[in-house]
Amino acid sequence: MRKTPARGSHTDGGERVLILSAGVGAGHNSAAAAIQQECAGRADIAEVQVLDVLQVSSVLYRALLGKGYFVLVEGLPWLVDWGYDLSDRPFRRRGPIDPWTRANAVPVIGEIKRFRPTAIVCTHFLPAQLLASLLLRGVTDARTAVVTTDYDFQGLWLPGAFHSLFVAREEARVELMALGLPPDRVAATGIPIAKQIDGASEPTRDTNEPPMLLISAGATGGDYAVSVVRQTMHMRSSFTATIICGRNDALRHRIEQLVAPAGDRYRVLGFTEEMPELLRRADLFVGKPGGLSASECMAAGLPMVLVNPIPGQEVRNGDYLMEQGAAVRCNTAATIGWKIDEVLREPGRLQRMQAAARKIGRPDAAADVLTGLLEGPSRPLIVTRAAQKTILAASEQRVVATDLSGPSALVRLVDSTAGSAVALLQAEELDDLQKRYGTESGGLVLRRGKAPPWPKWEVRRLLRALLRGDKALPVRVEGPSASPAVLPE
């Protein structure tokens, strides 16, 4: 189990924040650590704890989800790409894996009950899906946030119940609103990254020195990493390079031997605590476009040369960075040196890419996530099973869910007092609610104790999650939804 309790000089009775991650790659845990770091500086948070849910699951489950994924990335990348596209449809059922996932979630549920959080942040879709079930069953009433860790939104991240959903960019927010989600439940904050150690927000590059390349060799793998470095040795431009090999000592020794004839032009490091400083000093990053790596680079105003991206999320991350003018991609190792030369030799191009990176950087994402969650709606948003089916069917037919009309159209229930949307359901579901909870004025008042008997269990789940300790909840109806307006940030 990887649990990291952290306390600051906070008053008793403050928020108790539980951060749930999953160690599939480093990015999800890095985002969790960034949010934990931000918690430590807030006076309204009494205690924070981080839990990697895979660390408390069975060894087999952990191996299949953690190590198994990277085995596929290395040996069958086309299968990873296919699987990513297959699971991209929101609310697609996962079938036989669900019971096994639930069995491995028992220790996580125990930890939630023990810690008694008032707020829960999920930086992986596995705990996000679990928390949706717990909210609907009344196991927890903690405010729950889902925080995505890539620039593109994937359907696996959308649970049936949550309080706030935080995405990396505005296009993902617009996409979710087109699925029917209310704008007050989705925010484009960026991906949470750790604060710079000295608090600096601007890069400290020396314009009088040759451009510095920061090469993430550990992220690209052994032979491919060596090939990347070898190609830079053929470059004609003036430059220096710092190569990060992480904990791969064998790779570090190979690269040290390779660059030895180049003198002091190359600096080769293993695992280092200098990364924040290196990101600010470097002029161009060479490596994979993981969500966290890319976000750290953008926050530092550091453009990227993308090599060997993982199919699916990293390819889509790269598409966004290139669209914004903050990256170029090398599809073959043979052209890496030439491509970097093209960037460095064209007057003003590197500076334009650096400006583009700074423009889309979101260094305050972790703070924005916490503020949005703790100051956001206190009741969860519930997406009924029928509404989930509408969203999935619309996605599979490549139509916009909010454009639908008739019985399958999406409607929202809005808390009449707080003004926040609390449920997304089908129009035909509304008819049954109106018969049971309608008022003479045409409104709705959801009431405890008036839930219909079996098999109308969907309404029972809805009431249990929304009413909590209240006996009644006045709501108003919005919809059928129209194409959403994009609200300014």
Side-chain angles (χ1 to χ4, degrees):
M1 183 185 297
R2 190 186 70 85
K3 294 189 294 184
T4 310
R7 294 177 183 267
S9 55
H10 308 296
T11 58
D12 292 337
E15 301 282 355
R16 298 172 59 81
V17 180
L18 178 62
I19 305 170
L20 299 178
S21 182
V24 183
H28 304 288
N29 285 343
S30 294
I35 296 171
Q36 180 193 21
Q37 180 190 45
E38 190 62 35
C39 286
R42 290 184 57 127
D44 58 343
I45 295 178
E47 187 172 2
V48 57
Q49 180 172 292
V50 178
L51 176 64
D52 182 339
V53 300
L54 291 187
Q55 292 303 311
V56 296
S57 63
S58 68
V59 174
L60 180 59
Y61 188 78
R62 183 164 62 246
L64 286 177
L65 268 68
K67 297 179 181 179
Y69 172 73
F70 291 101
V71 169
L72 292 177
V73 166
E74 183 68 25
L76 298 169
W78 62 268
L79 186 58
V80 175
D81 195 21
W82 175 81
Y84 186 90
D85 289 341
L86 182 67
S87 59
D88 198 25
R89 305 297 186 198
F91 299 120
R92 179 182 289 278
R93 299 287 179 254
R94 287 184 289 161
I97 197 173
D98 284 346
W100 193 27
T101 299
R102 286 197 295 269
N104 280 278
V106 170
V108 181
I109 297 172
E111 186 62 28
I112 292 172
K113 291 179 178 179
R114 187 204 67 78
F115 187 68
R116 295 176 290 105
T118 60
I120 302 175
V121 181
C122 302
T123 62
H124 192 278
F125 61 81
L126 280 176
Q129 298 292 350
L130 170 64
L131 261 295
S133 174
L134 300 185
L135 286 170
L136 289 169
R137 289 161 46 197
V139 175
T140 181
D141 61 357
R143 281 188 171 99
T144 300
V146 181
V147 183
T148 62
T149 55
D150 286 294
Y151 283 106
D152 210 52
F153 183 82
Q154 188 189 25
L156 277 175
W157 286 83
L158 184 55
F162 61 93
H163 288 75
S164 300
L165 203 160
F166 299 98
V167 294
R169 55 174 172 149
E170 186 65 19
E171 184 175 343
R173 178 173 178 266
V174 172
E175 176 187 354
L176 287 165
M177 290 166 60
L179 293 179
L181 298 191
D184 63 324
R185 297 292 186 158
V186 186
T189 56
I191 300 170
I193 58 172
K195 287 182 177 179
Q196 305 295 346
I197 53 175
D198 60 0
S201 59
E202 293 296 325
T204 56
R205 300 179 176 94
D206 188 346
T207 57
N208 296 318
E209 295 292 330
M212 173 185 160
L213 307 181
L214 181 59
I215 304 175
S216 180
T220 60
D223 292 338
Y224 195 91
V226 172
S227 181
V228 169
V229 175
R230 180 177 286 111
Q231 288 303 310
T232 64
M233 300 178 71
H234 301 313
M235 289 171 50
R236 293 175 293 172
S237 303
S238 176
F239 73 94
T240 61
T242 298
I243 305 166
I244 309 298
C245 298
R247 303 185 188 278
N248 192 334
D249 292 334
L251 177 62
R252 179 182 177 183
H253 293 321
R254 288 180 63 188
I255 292 178
E256 284 176 338
Q257 293 176 352
L258 175 66
V259 301
D264 59 1
R265 166 174 277 192
Y266 290 89
R267 180 186 179 204
V268 185
L269 301 176
F271 177 79
T272 177
E273 301 284 350
E274 297 180 40
M275 279 304 293
E277 179 183 353
L278 291 172
L279 289 170
R280 296 196 305 274
R281 286 177 46 210
D283 295 279
L284 198 58
F285 180 93
V286 183
K288 296 163 68 65
L292 269 292
S293 297
S295 296
E296 289 169 346
C297 287
M298 297 304 105
L302 179 60
M304 304 179 74
V305 176
L306 311 178
V307 297
N308 201 27
I310 293 175
Q313 68 270 25
E314 287 193 357
V315 169
R316 296 194 189 187
N317 288 343
D319 289 343
Y320 171 69
L321 298 175
M322 291 186 290
E323 177 184 294
Q324 298 300 313
V328 295
R329 185 165 71 199
C330 299
N331 292 322
T332 173
T335 63
I336 289 173
W338 173 83
K339 203 124 188 182
I340 298 174
D341 257 332
E342 289 289 294
V343 172
L344 298 182
R345 289 159 62 89
E346 181 180 326
R349 184 176 181 184
L350 179 60
Q351 290 71 31
R352 290 192 298 271
M353 292 178 67
Q354 290 171 341
R358 284 192 292 271
K359 183 178 178 180
I360 62 175
R362 304 295 291 269
D364 298 321
D368 292 341
V369 164
L370 282 174
T371 299
L373 175 62
L374 298 179
E375 298 181 4
S378 61
R379 298 182 195 273
L381 173 73
I382 309 301
V383 185
T384 66
R385 294 287 179 85
Q388 293 177 28
K389 290 178 181 178
T390 290
I391 293 171
L392 176 59
S395 176
E396 290 178 335
Q397 296 167 16
R398 299 186 181 278
V399 299
V400 179
T402 49
D403 288 343
L404 299 175
S405 59
S408 62
L410 298 174
V411 296
R412 300 171 188 157
L413 300 184
V414 178
D415 184 335
S416 297
T417 302
S420 59
V422 294
L424 185 64
L425 58 156
Q426 277 189 355
E428 66 177 356
E429 289 183 291
L430 182 62
D431 294 338
D432 185 65
L433 291 178
Q434 287 174 329
K435 292 176 183 178
R436 188 169 296 275
Y437 303 107
T439 64
E440 293 182 358
S441 62
L444 286 173
V445 179
L446 304 180
R447 296 184 183 278
R448 186 180 299 277
K450 291 190 65 177
W454 184 265
K456 297 287 187 178
W457 55 270
E458 183 71 9
V459 176
R460 300 172 68 90
R461 297 166 74 241
L462 185 69
L463 293 177
R464 181 167 49 199
L466 293 184
L467 291 180
R468 303 192 301 179
D470 299 327
K471 293 183 179 180
L473 175 66
V475 296
R476 68 175 187 269
V477 179
E478 291 184 353
S481 304
S483 297
V486 181
L487 303 179
E489 293 188 53

